């Protein structure tokens, strides 16, 4: 009987610590999305630095309005932020992303961000 009570208390305590971590991650992702939408490269860089994160490590885990960060930047015409993001990612990942095809098929063929993607894909 004592074991069940201890296990129940331990589970309740663990649940209290898991929820704030998930909330903090969600808040961080929302901040990153907001900085990309606002084309605020400096705040994006500062947020990543303050949280000791490398963009290439968290890139696949963040989506804004259901889009990867680069596509979200293209959609919001956030050229400075998109260039920063693209330069932080491995060239092979940028080349395989399909962002150029996505942009062309969604009406963003004239975006200057595509030139940055092409340059990074070639390196």
């Amino acid at each position: 009987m004592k074991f069940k009570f201890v296990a129940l208390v331990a589970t309740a305590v663990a649940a209290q610590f898991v929820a704030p971590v998930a909330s903090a991650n969600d808040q961080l992702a929302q901040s990153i999305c907001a900085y990309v939408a606002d084309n605020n490269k400096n705040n994006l860089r500062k947020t990543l630095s303050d949280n000791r994160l490398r963009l290439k490590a968290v890139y696949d885990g963040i989506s804004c309005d259901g889009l990867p960060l680069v596509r979200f930047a293209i959609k919001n015409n956030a050229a400075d932020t998109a260039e920063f993001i693209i330069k932080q990612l491995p060239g092979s990942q940028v080349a395989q992303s399909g962002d150029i095809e996505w942009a062309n098929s969604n009406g963003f063929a004239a975006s200057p961000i595509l030139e940055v993607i092409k340059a990074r894909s070639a390196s």
Side-chain angles (χ1 to χ4, degrees):
M1 191 71 132
K2 190 175 188 180
F3 176 75
K4 289 181 183 179
F5 177 72
V6 171
L8 181 61
V9 171
T11 303
V13 171
Q16 290 177 344
F17 290 109
V18 173
V21 171
S23 177
N25 288 340
D26 290 342
Q27 186 176 8
L28 181 62
Q30 288 175 357
S31 294
I32 289 172
C33 291
Y35 296 142
V36 171
D38 292 340
N39 197 26
N40 195 333
K41 176 178 72 171
N42 292 332
N43 280 351
L44 175 60
R45 181 182 294 155
K46 182 175 179 351
T47 298
L48 292 168
S49 177
D50 289 350
N51 289 283
R52 295 186 174 143
L53 296 172
R54 293 207 177 255
L55 191 57
K56 67 182 180 181
V58 297
Y59 181 80
D60 290 331
I62 299 174
S63 67
C64 306
D65 290 340
L67 298 171
L69 288 174
V70 172
R71 293 180 188 185
F72 186 69
I74 292 170
K75 181 180 173 187
N76 287 285
N77 197 28
D80 295 336
T81 305
E83 184 173 355
F84 170 74
I85 293 167
I86 292 165
K87 287 181 177 181
Q88 298 299 309
L89 299 174
S92 60
Q93 183 176 1
V94 174
Q96 296 171 355
S97 68
D99 291 334
I100 294 174
E101 294 80 11
W102 176 87
N104 288 331
S105 66
N106 285 287
F108 299 106
S111 174
I113 299 169
L114 298 184
E115 293 305 317
V116 177
I117 294 172
K118 290 175 186 175
R120 183 70 177 139
S121 296
S123 61

